[in-house]
Amino acid sequence: MLSNHNLGLDLMRATEAAALAAARWAGRGQKETGDGAAVGAMREVLSHVRIDGTIVIGEGEKDEAPMLANGEKVGNGDGPAMDIAVDPVDGTRLLAWGMRNSIALLAGAEGGSMYNPKECFYMEKLAVGADAADVIDLEAPIGENIRNVAAAKGKTVDQITVGVLNRDRHQDLIAAIREAGAATRLFTDGDVAAAVMAAHPDMPRLDMMAGIGGSPEGVVTACAMKALGGRILARLWPTSDEERQRTLDAGHDLDKVLDTNDLVTSDHTLFVATGITPGDLVEGVTYLPDGGARTHSIVMRSASGTIRYVDAYHHLDKVEEYQRRHEVAGIDWK
C-alpha cells in the first residue's frame, strides 16, 4: 500500500519540471525537441522521489524514446513499490503548433497493479463521471449510452455533450452522437484531459468521452477515474494485422471489455497534470516580467478522494541553475 504521505505532491514536481522545460517550445514547430526537453526534466526530478518505481506506461515503443521507456526504474529506491505512467507532453502537436491543452501527465499506483497494453497502441474508450458510472455499456450503441447518461444525470439528451478526438475514424461516431440529439466537442489531441473533464464534478463542459485513442492514455485515465469515482470502459483496437497478431500472441483478448479495475487494480492511485499551454483542465505556463514563471497543476489521490489545485511560482534563474547542475535542460532558458 502507498504511504499516507501524499506522493502526488512529490510527483507534481516532475510534471512541473516537464511543463517548464516544454513550454519554451510552444509554437516553434519542433514537437520532438519540446518533448525531449520535457522527458529529460521529468526523468531527473523522478530520480529523487522516494519511491521504488517502474515505468509501466512510458514514452515507449511507439515514440522510440531512449528515456522514461517501459520497464525503466525511477525514484531513489527508498520507498513504496509503484507502477508509474508518464506522458511528459500529452499533445506534442498542440505544443508545436502553440495550441491549447498541451499538458504534462503522470500517474502512479501500487506496484504490479497497472495493465500493460504495450503490444496494442490504441483502444476504444468510453468514460463518464460518478453520476453515470453504472449506466454505460461499451457494447451498446452510442445513442443508448447517451440516453442512459442523460437520465442518470437528470438532463435531457440535448443537454449532453460528448468529447471526441477529431479523427477521420470517428466520422460515424460523431454522426451517431448528433443523430441521437447530443452535441459533440471535438478536440485535436489529448483524450486524457477530455475524460477527466467528463468525470470531474466541477467541470460541466463535458458529460462523456468516447472514441478510439491511445491505450497508454486509457491506463492513465483509469488512475484518475479511481480518484474521481468515475468509470472508463475500453477495448483494445489493433490498427494492422501485424499488431493484431502480436496482441493475440501476448495473450490479450481483443473482444474483452476492460473496466476501470482491469486497467488499474489498485484502489490507491495518483494522478497529476501540469499545464504546458493554456487549457481547459489546467492553465499553461505563464512567464512573468520579473523573469519567473507560474505553473498550474491538478493532483488527485484516490485513497482520500482529494483533488488539489496548485498554483506555483518558479524563479527561473534557480530552475536554470538546477537544470544545468543536473544536465537536464537542452534548451536555451534565456
Side-chain angles (χ1 to χ4, degrees):
M1 180 182 294
L2 303 184
S3 72
N4 287 328
H5 172 69
N6 191 349
L7 284 169
L9 296 176
D10 297 333
L11 297 174
M12 182 190 70
R13 293 175 49 240
T15 59
E16 286 178 338
L20 287 166
R24 289 292 191 188
W25 295 98
R28 299 183 183 275
Q30 301 179 49
K31 67 178 185 177
E32 290 84 5
T33 309
D35 190 47
V39 169
M42 178 177 280
R43 184 173 187 256
E44 169 59 26
V45 173
L46 279 177
S47 70
H48 299 288
V49 178
R50 296 187 63 181
I51 57 171
D52 179 13
T54 302
I55 300 290
V56 175
I57 305 295
E59 291 291 274
E61 184 179 330
K62 184 172 68 170
D63 301 289
E64 299 180 352
M67 297 190 299
L68 293 181
N70 297 350
E72 181 177 339
K73 298 294 290 185
V74 292
N76 67 2
D78 181 20
M82 289 186 69
D83 286 351
I84 299 292
V86 300
D87 196 345
V89 180
D90 182 32
T92 53
R93 284 185 296 185
L94 300 178
L95 173 65
W97 297 342
M99 296 178 66
R100 292 175 58 82
N101 292 316
S102 180
I103 56 179
L105 288 174
L106 191 152
E110 291 175 291
S113 65
M114 279 187 185
Y115 179 72
N116 188 346
K118 66 178 182 178
E119 294 85 5
C120 190
F121 295 145
Y122 291 92
M123 55 174 53
E124 181 183 3
K125 292 178 267 190
L126 184 63
V128 295
D131 50 4
D134 295 332
V135 303
I136 57 172
D137 180 354
L138 191 65
E139 297 184 301
I142 190 64
E144 180 179 330
N145 278 293
I146 289 169
R147 289 187 291 274
N148 290 339
V149 168
K153 295 170 76 75
K155 293 185 175 184
T156 58
V157 166
D158 62 358
Q159 292 175 316
I160 297 295
T161 301
V162 185
V164 183
L165 273 170
N166 190 8
R167 298 287 188 273
D168 288 343
R169 63 178 178 261
H170 288 150
Q171 288 182 358
D172 290 344
L173 173 62
I174 292 167
I177 292 168
R178 293 171 178 168
E179 184 177 348
T184 57
R185 183 173 181 185
L186 304 183
F187 48 100
T188 307
D189 292 277
D191 64 3
V192 174
V196 171
M197 285 191 291
H200 199 299
D202 295 332
M203 294 184 178
R205 294 183 289 266
L206 286 179
D207 300 285
M208 305 169 61
M209 190 280 293
I212 295 161
S215 297
E217 288 83 354
V219 179
V220 174
T221 297
C223 290
M225 294 299 108
K226 287 290 182 91
L228 290 165
R231 187 181 187 189
I232 177 172
L233 298 177
R235 182 164 45 206
L236 295 174
W237 196 79
T239 58
S240 67
D241 290 340
E242 179 185 357
E243 187 177 346
R244 169 180 283 272
Q245 191 59 53
R246 187 170 67 241
T247 303
L248 290 171
D249 290 345
H252 294 297
D253 181 352
L254 294 179
D255 296 321
K256 178 178 174 61
V257 174
L258 301 165
D259 212 325
T260 310
N261 286 325
D262 296 311
L263 296 172
V264 56
T265 59
S266 174
D267 288 328
H268 297 270
T269 66
L270 300 164
F271 173 87
V272 188
T274 300
I276 301 173
T277 58
D280 299 314
L281 181 62
V282 280
E283 281 300 322
V285 174
T286 303
Y287 296 103
L288 303 172
D290 67 358
R294 177 164 288 158
T295 58
H296 305 267
S297 304
I298 184 170
V299 182
M300 302 182 188
R301 184 170 182 251
S302 67
S304 59
T306 305
I307 302 173
R308 286 183 170 87
Y309 300 90
V310 181
D311 181 348
Y313 174 84
H314 305 265
H315 194 299
L316 287 186
D317 285 344
K318 293 184 178 180
V319 172
E320 181 183 8
E321 178 185 352
Y322 177 86
Q323 292 192 331
R324 184 170 57 246
R325 185 168 69 249
H326 294 283
E327 299 180 349
V328 177
I331 66 173
D332 182 5
W333 285 80
K334 296 296 186 182

